[in-house]
Amino acid sequence: MRGLLLVISGPSGVGKGTLCQALCRQIDSIVLSVSATTRPPRAGEEDGVHYFFVSPERFQEMIARDELLEWAQVYQDYYGTPRGPVTRLLADGRDVILEIDVQGALQVKEKAPEAVLIFICPPSVAELERRLRRRGTDSEEQIVNRLEWARTELEAVPKYDYVVVNDHLEAAVAKIKAIIVAEKCRPIYFTKPDCVV
Ligand code: ADP
Ligand code: 5GP
């Protein structure tokens, strides 16, 4: 059976990474797609695990060779989803999560209408700011930029299939798991048993 293509977006600091890690721990069939990016690795990030860290020239080559399912400029850098691994994993029946921005999510929906788009919302902008500050990975300037960009991203909510507010982590994980279960009941994922004519 073909796997489910799940796209998760939302403002920086809302908890996408935390939610995706929890989903991968709790559901065996789920795999997180590894994106390519031109941004330099942060402390503790490994090439091929968190991202494929590539040069701007290599990124342009990936675009030219149609190796990316989607790509976008986010903040100062380029990010894209390598198409090959996603296609292979879905054909193997694995459920694939793309943790990507709004621009990329809408490209995926156009190319693969069966993809399920989930937008993760913060309980409030004040809580989003608290989470960004508590994470401690961004400069003051980056925090201000990310909060400003968050307001623009929130305007894309009506284009998504689902919205999940990440207030309590376990409650948000449970909602995403419920979406996965419901989506897998759609007729496109139904394989007719031998006994049905
Ligand atoms: P993103 O991947 O969306 O940028 P992260 O997963 O890095 O966000 O989460 C940002 C911060 O918020 C982290 O410190 C994380 O531990 C925290 N966080 C995530 N979900 C919740 C939640 N439901 N309640 C409180 N803090 C959370
Ligand atoms: P970060 O640099 O903090 O890891 O990610 C910054 C932003 O880039 C996040 O909003 C993240 O969802 C987005 N992003 C990560 N990978 C991709 C990708 O492959 N494509 C697109 N369009 N956005 C991505």
Side-chain angles (χ1 to χ4, degrees), residues 4 6-9 15-32 94-99 118 120 164 169-181:
L4 194 69
L6 212 62
V7 176
I8 294 202
S9 312
K16 300 181 297 295
T18 311
L19 286 167
C20 289
Q21 293 307 326
L23 287 167
C24 288
R25 276 196 305 271
Q26 294 180 30
I27 308 178
D28 286 343
S29 60
I30 284 189
V31 191
L32 200 54
R94 306 296 298 272
D95 300 319
V96 181
I97 298 187
L98 311 184
E99 192 207 309
I118 305 180
I120 310 295
V164 171
L169 188 70
E170 279 316 314
V173 171
K175 282 181 190 168
I176 300 174
K177 284 165 82 171
I179 293 168
I180 294 172
V181 170

Side-chain angles (χ1 to χ4, degrees), residues 127-164:
E127 171 60 13
L128 181 64
E129 184 170 353
R130 268 193 293 278
R131 286 184 194 174
L132 279 171
R133 291 193 188 286
R134 217 180 300 135
R135 185 169 69 178
T137 53
D138 306 285
S139 67
E140 185 57 34
E141 190 191 347
Q142 280 171 323
I143 290 175
V144 170
N145 284 343
R146 282 168 189 231
L147 286 172
E148 203 175 298
W149 184 237
R151 294 178 200 278
T152 309
E153 287 173 307
L154 283 163
E155 285 169 18
V157 165
K159 296 182 179 149
Y160 278 66
D161 299 305
Y162 297 93
V163 189
V164 171

